[in-house]
Amino acid sequence: MTTLAHRPGTALLVIDMQNGVVARAHRRDEVVATLADLVARARVEGVPVVWVRHQDAALVPGTPAWQLVPELVPLPDEPVVGKEYADAFEATELESLLAAAGVGRIVVTGAATDVCVRSTLHGGLARGYDTLLVADAHTTEDTGVEGVPGPAAIIAHTNLYWSEQVAPGRVGGTAEAAEVVFAAG
């Protein structure tokens, strides 16, 4: 249903599953295990896996905080997209990688739910992609900021919010990892 003509493929995006991003994340180990299973399924089904890695003053390239968690390791032929903005499409090569692979549908996972995951979901939908959020494969931490909901509430709200997203010619939506179908349709 994507508005991107002649791009029927699907890709799995793994956003910012870096040591410094998920060290104190809600259900960290559970989400990492779910992601590892999802990545394995995507690989078996021949679905491109695209890794996204943020950098900023706290996530300096080459430092332990910047590295992907050790449980999730990209294969040598899987792209790792570096980014400096919350939306993984913004000022990166993500769009050209997906276009070259014929991808019009993205399955979104990772961290942090309330920043980079949400921004990338919106960025993908606005650019014409069908965007599926894997409800049990994204996480965030408790920021401790007064008035901000805790991580479980942020995750639940994002899942609810994204489950009904639509735009002309494209759809959002959510699914549990066990229910994800990589083939579009």
Side-chain angles (χ1 to χ4, degrees), residues 11-153:
L12 175 63
L13 299 186
V14 181
I15 300 172
D16 300 351
M17 290 301 294
Q18 297 163 261
N19 293 317
V21 176
V22 299
R24 296 181 315 273
H26 179 69
R27 298 177 32 251
R28 181 235 185 252
D29 294 345
E30 201 176 318
V31 170
V32 168
T34 299
L35 272 169
D37 290 343
L38 202 55
V39 167
R41 280 185 38 219
R43 289 171 175 162
V44 166
E45 294 185 37
V47 170
V49 178
V50 179
W51 303 83
V52 178
R53 183 167 45 199
H54 194 80
Q55 70 178 54
D56 60 21
L59 298 167
V60 177
T63 64
W66 176 79
Q67 298 295 335
L68 295 171
V69 297
E71 301 94 326
L72 299 172
V73 179
L75 295 178
D77 63 338
E78 293 172 342
V80 179
V81 175
K83 70 177 180 65
E84 296 179 13
Y85 300 98
D87 179 354
F89 288 95
E90 197 64 43
T92 71
E93 70 274 18
L94 180 57
E95 168 58 24
S96 61
L97 287 168
L98 296 175
V103 169
R105 177 176 176 259
I106 54 175
V107 177
V108 179
T109 66
T113 299
D114 44 341
V115 184
C116 297
V117 170
R118 277 191 197 168
S119 294
T120 300
L121 285 165
H122 283 284
L125 193 70
R127 288 171 174 86
Y129 292 87
D130 287 338
T131 53
L132 179 70
L133 174 62
V134 184
D136 55 342
H138 63 97
T139 188
T140 195
E141 67 181 10
D142 188 342
T143 63
V145 175
E146 187 175 333
V148 175

